[in-house]
């Protein structure tokens, strides 16, 4: 997609393959932040209504990105962990309730549930290493299970799950369905309605190409009133802005989870970044990422001694490729890649590459050549 390459002005020689961790901003996000800063210097908050319009535009982009029924279902949160905490400490748990997760989850989607142990809630961890990970997860959803919490894409292996099947299985069993979407949202199309999920959340700083400190929390309208609130302030009120009103109630929309002043600077950046994904189109973004993942997988398998830890089937992967070299410590592989200006990260059993739609073939080829040299040392 050469028409968008000018959006990513990276340092000479840099090979950026770390979008599953923290992504570079596109040029338009940097320009949006610069404009916002200059406006603050020159005008302060004179045009605050324009900022609110921008924030609403961001909600609309996130609604489209998740296919949420309404912007009322979208809350702007600090990060994935905050949204997961809203669910974990908002639901009414009974002693003996169980939560099903995988045994490969990122700490954010494990610790928050383990923190409920004092309420008598048990966390059941399920291995995804078999031929039917969805079947294993659903088989664990017995009568005591209240919620299934799973990452759409596993952070270390890159395994992508069939969220439609999981959603149908949860709905049929009366189990709540919570998706940590951080490794899919912005990389592949995402559809909360097709997945029949009750909750979904993601940070903006990975595949959405935005800044840290701002993410999205989708909460299904029917379940929203069941979540007890733990944060209160002027912004989460139904009659926000009526500062003389003494009687109050939480907003009926997902704004009830936003207790205080919004992160307008982050909103300006994320709004701009999502505009780029919309300009490209998520179907095209996904196809481009799949092509680059395929290039990496094919090239790595041609290097003797390379072991892939990510799925080979296209329907089982998103943007993550994890590999190791027989006889070479992952830390050494990572350090040598880092010295060669390949930006990646060690995760799980291997070193993780994660290209985005704009990653040039040159970057892939040069990285593969570097890996080959490391393997031959």
């Amino acid at each position: 997609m050469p028409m968008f390459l000018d959006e990513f002005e990276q340092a000479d020689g840099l090979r950026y393959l770390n979008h599953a961790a923290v992504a570079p901003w596109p040029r338009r996000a940097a320009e949006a932040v610069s404009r916002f800063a200059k406006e603050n210097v020159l005008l302060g908050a004179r045009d605050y209504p324009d900022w609110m319009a921008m924030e609403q535009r961001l909600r609309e982009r996130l609604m489209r990105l998740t296919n949420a029924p309404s912007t009322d279902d979208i809350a702007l949160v600090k990060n994935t962990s905050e949204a997961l905490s809203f669910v974990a400490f908002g639901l009414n748990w009974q002693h003996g309730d169980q939560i099903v997760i995988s045994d490969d989850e990122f700490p954010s989607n494990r610790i928050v549930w383990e923190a409920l142990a004092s309420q008598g809630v048990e966390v059941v961890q399920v291995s995804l290493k078999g031929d039917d990970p969805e079947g294993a997860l659903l088989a664990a959803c017995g009568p005591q299970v209240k919620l299934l919490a799973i990452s759409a894409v596993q952070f270390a292996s890159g395994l992508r799950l069939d969220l439609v099947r999981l959603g149908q299985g949860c709905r049929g069993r009366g189990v709540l369905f919570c998706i940590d979407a951080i490794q899919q949202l912005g990389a592949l199309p995402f559809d909360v309605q097709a997945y029949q999920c009750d909750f979904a959340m993601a940070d903006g700083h990975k595949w959405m190409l935005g800044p840290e400190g701002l993410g999205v929390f989708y909460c299904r309208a029917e379940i929203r009133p069941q979540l007890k609130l733990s944060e209160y302030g002027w912004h989460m009120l139904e009659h926000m802005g009526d500062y003389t009103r003494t009687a109050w109630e939480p907003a009926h929309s997902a704004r009830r989870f936003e207790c205080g002043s919004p992160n307008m600077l982050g909103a300006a950046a994320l709004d701009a970044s999502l505009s780029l994904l919309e300009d490209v189109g998520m179907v095209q973004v996904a196809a481009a990422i799949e092509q680059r993942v395929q290039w990496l997988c094919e090239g790595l398998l041609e290097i003797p001694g390379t072991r892939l830890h990510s799925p080979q089937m296209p329907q089982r992967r998103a943007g993550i490729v994890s590999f190791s070299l027989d006889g070479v410590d992952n830390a050494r592989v990572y350090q040598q890649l880092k010295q060669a200006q390949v930006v990646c990260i060690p995760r799980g059993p291997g070193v993780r590459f994660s290209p985005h739609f704009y990653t040039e073939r040159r970057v892939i080829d040069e990285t593969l050549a570097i890996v080959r040299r490391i393997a031959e040392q």
Side-chain angles (χ1 to χ4, degrees):
M1 298 180 187
M3 71 286 289
F4 293 107
L5 286 179
D6 63 348
E7 286 281 356
F8 296 92
E9 182 184 2
Q10 296 179 357
D12 289 343
L14 192 74
R15 303 169 184 94
Y16 204 94
L17 295 172
N18 205 28
H19 297 86
V22 178
W25 294 1
R27 183 189 300 274
R28 65 179 70 186
E31 291 173 348
V33 168
S34 179
R35 286 193 301 271
F36 187 84
K38 186 173 183 179
E39 182 178 336
N40 271 268
V41 169
L42 298 177
L43 303 175
R46 187 196 69 179
D47 297 329
Y48 198 88
D50 293 342
W51 300 359
M52 296 181 68
M54 178 268 293
E55 184 195 52
Q56 179 60 24
R57 186 173 65 235
L58 172 59
R59 292 180 196 276
E60 292 166 359
R61 294 194 199 280
L62 290 166
M63 177 191 71
R64 292 191 292 269
L65 190 65
T66 59
N67 195 33
S70 166
T71 54
D72 285 351
D73 304 314
I74 298 295
L76 301 177
V77 294
K78 292 195 292 290
N79 46 53
T80 310
S81 298
E82 181 179 54
L84 285 165
S85 294
F86 287 153
V87 177
F89 294 94
L91 291 170
N92 183 28
W93 301 98
Q94 303 296 322
H95 194 280
D97 283 343
Q98 294 179 329
I99 299 166
V100 171
I101 66 173
S102 85
D103 62 356
D104 289 324
E105 288 297 319
F106 192 75
S108 296
N109 199 32
R110 172 178 54 82
I111 293 170
V112 70
W113 312 116
E114 292 176 342
L116 298 170
S118 62
Q119 300 183 43
V121 177
E122 179 187 2
V123 176
V124 178
Q125 297 192 27
V126 175
S127 173
L128 303 180
K129 291 181 174 60
D131 294 333
D132 185 11
E134 294 84 8
L137 287 166
L138 292 173
C141 291
Q144 298 301 115
V145 173
K146 186 181 181 72
L147 179 137
L148 168 62
I150 196 71
S151 292
V153 177
Q154 292 298 310
F155 79 102
S157 69
L159 173 69
R160 174 159 62 107
L161 294 174
D162 184 343
L163 299 177
V164 172
R165 181 181 172 194
L166 289 176
Q168 291 172 345
C170 286
R171 189 60 57 92
R173 291 166 172 77
V175 172
L176 295 171
F177 187 27
C178 179
I179 303 173
D180 180 341
I182 198 167
Q183 295 294 0
Q184 179 168 337
L185 199 59
L188 301 176
F190 193 87
D191 190 335
V192 296
Q193 297 187 68
Y195 306 151
Q196 301 184 68
C197 62
D198 299 284
F199 316 104
M201 57 282 290
D203 274 296
H205 67 267
K206 297 184 188 292
W207 302 98
M208 286 187 273
L209 303 170
E212 291 186 288
L214 185 61
V216 58
F217 175 34
Y218 163 79
C219 184
R220 187 166 62 86
E222 292 77 10
I223 203 76
R224 230 164 21 235
Q226 297 182 33
L227 289 187
K228 299 188 299 289
L229 298 175
S230 55
E231 297 182 1
Y232 294 84
W234 70 273
H235 196 267
M236 49 78 69
L237 302 177
E238 177 64 21
H239 300 283
M240 180 184 72
D242 187 350
Y243 305 122
T244 60
R245 177 185 288 264
T246 54
W248 60 273
E249 61 177 325
H252 300 150
S253 71
R255 184 166 50 77
R256 62 174 40 213
F257 303 110
E258 304 171 14
C259 65
S261 297
N263 178 2
M264 285 295 187
L265 183 64
L270 186 56
D271 175 63
S273 294
L274 293 186
S275 76
L276 173 59
L277 295 182
E278 289 192 333
D279 286 349
V280 179
M282 281 310 305
V283 172
Q284 290 74 23
V285 167
I289 290 176
E290 168 56 26
Q291 182 183 53
R292 284 144 180 79
V293 165
Q294 186 65 27
W295 290 341
L296 281 168
C297 289
E298 291 174 352
L300 287 167
L301 288 174
E302 291 176 357
I303 301 172
T306 300
R307 189 183 305 271
L308 285 184
H309 303 288
S310 296
Q312 291 298 290
M313 295 180 293
Q315 67 270 25
R316 280 297 187 191
R317 64 194 186 196
I320 289 173
V321 178
S322 174
F323 77 98
S324 59
L325 299 177
D326 289 344
V328 187
D329 184 71
N330 286 332
R332 177 183 158 196
V333 175
Y334 167 67
Q335 286 299 327
Q336 293 196 35
L337 286 166
K338 183 179 179 181
Q339 290 169 8
Q341 293 205 71
V342 178
V343 185
C344 57
I345 200 78
R347 286 289 185 266
V351 174
R352 188 182 72 186
F353 291 151
S354 48
H356 215 311
F357 76 92
Y358 68 90
T359 304
E360 296 180 80
R361 180 64 189 256
R362 170 191 59 79
V363 170
I364 303 292
D365 290 343
E366 291 174 358
T367 297
L368 290 169
I370 295 165
V371 174
R372 181 178 290 277
R373 289 199 297 272
I374 297 170
E376 292 174 347
Q377 288 177 357

